[in-house]
Amino acid sequence: EETESDFLCFSHPDAVVIVCAAAYLERGLNLALQTMEITENAVLCVNMMDEAKKRGIHIDLEKLKTKLGIPVIGTSAKRGIGINELMDAAVSQFNHSGIYKIRYLSAVEEAIGILQPVIEKEISGINPRYASVSLLEDSDAFFAKILIHQNKDFSNNISVANALKKARQILSAADINKETLSDIISSCSVLAAEDICNGCIVCENGK
C-alpha cells in the first residue's frame, strides 16, 4: 500500500482507475478516498454490478458520482459491460471542482491549514494536502521520499520547518501525537466511506 501511495504521489499519473466490488462498496470506498487524497485525476469503477443485483443490492451511481465529485462508472467486466464508458471516462478532461475530501478532527484540519499553503509555495509536484498530512504523520520519512523521487532536500527548509512546528503545537494542545494521528486519519476515512454509502445503496433485504 505504501509503494502504491508513493507511485501515485510522485509519478503524476494522467488518470487512476479505482476498482471497487459493487457488493462491498463501502470497503472499496475507503481505499478510493485515500487515493483521492493523493490524486484528483481519479475514476471510480464499480465492478460486478450484475452480481450485486443478483444479491438484491442496487447502487445509485449518479448519486455516488455527485457525492464523490469524480466520474463513477458501473461495470460487469466479465461480460464486457461498461468497459468502453470506463475508458472514455479515464481519458476525459477531469473537473477538480467539488471533489470529495475527507474531513478530520478540527485540530487536525487546523494543522493542515497551517502547513498546506507553505507546501504549495515551497514543494512543487505533490498534492499539498496529502503532503501536509504525511509530514504530520512522519516528517523524516516523507522528506526522505521527496529526496529519493525529486532529488530535493526539504528537511532543512526554514519555512516548512516553522509551519510544521506550529502545526504540531496545535496537535499537541489537542493531545494528538503521531500514533493517535494515524488512528484518527484511518477512522475518519472509514467514517467518510460509510457516510458516502448512505443513500447510495439499497438492499432488497433491508440490510
Side-chain angles (χ1 to χ4, degrees), residues 17-32:
V17 176
I18 309 162
V19 182
C20 298
Y24 306 99
L25 183 61
E26 186 175 319
R27 184 188 306 169
L29 279 179
N30 187 24
L31 173 61

Side-chain angles (χ1 to χ4, degrees), residues 58-65 199-202:
H58 303 276
I59 299 171
D60 190 330
L61 297 177
E62 281 301 316
K63 186 175 288 187
L64 190 57
K65 175 183 176 181
C200 291
I201 302 176
V202 176

Side-chain angles (χ1 to χ4, degrees), residues 83-175:
I83 302 302
N84 289 337
E85 292 85 350
L86 179 62
M87 294 299 101
D88 289 342
V91 299
S92 64
Q93 185 69 34
F94 289 96
N95 180 6
H96 295 153
S97 62
I99 192 168
Y100 187 94
K101 295 294 182 186
I102 301 170
R103 293 299 165 190
Y104 305 109
L105 300 182
S106 58
V108 178
E109 287 292 341
E110 186 178 353
I112 292 172
I114 289 174
L115 262 176
Q116 187 166 330
V118 178
I119 299 299
E120 289 176 337
K121 182 179 179 181
E122 300 291 336
I123 305 177
S124 61
I126 301 175
N127 184 309
R129 182 175 172 84
Y130 173 73
S132 299
V133 174
S134 298
L135 287 171
L136 288 171
E137 285 190 287
D138 192 336
S139 58
D140 290 340
F142 198 68
F143 281 137
K145 291 177 181 180
I146 296 174
L147 181 60
I148 292 171
H149 292 280
Q150 294 191 350
N151 197 29
K152 296 177 182 178
D153 186 1
F154 288 97
S155 60
N156 295 316
N157 183 292
I158 300 300
S159 297
V160 175
N162 287 339
L164 189 58
K165 181 179 179 180
K166 291 178 182 178
R168 282 177 171 161
Q169 287 173 343
I170 290 171
L171 295 182
S172 179
D175 292 324

Side-chain angles (χ1 to χ4, degrees), residues 5-78:
S5 298
D6 291 348
F7 175 79
L8 294 174
C9 179
F10 296 104
S11 66
H12 313 299
D14 294 326
V16 176
V17 176
I18 309 162
V19 182
C20 298
Y24 306 99
L25 183 61
E26 186 175 319
R27 184 188 306 169
L29 279 179
N30 187 24
L31 173 61
L33 290 173
Q34 293 176 46
T35 302
M36 290 163 59
E37 289 286 287
I38 306 173
T39 176
E40 296 179 337
N41 296 339
V43 177
L44 180 66
C45 169
V46 183
N47 193 29
M48 297 191 290
M49 291 286 289
D50 51 345
E51 293 297 323
K53 187 176 181 180
K54 290 178 182 178
R55 299 186 186 187
I57 301 171
H58 303 276
I59 299 171
D60 190 330
L61 297 177
E62 281 301 316
K63 186 175 288 187
L64 190 57
K65 175 183 176 181
T66 299
K67 284 190 172 186
L68 290 173
I70 63 171
V72 175
I73 308 296
T75 65
S76 297
K78 287 185 177 180

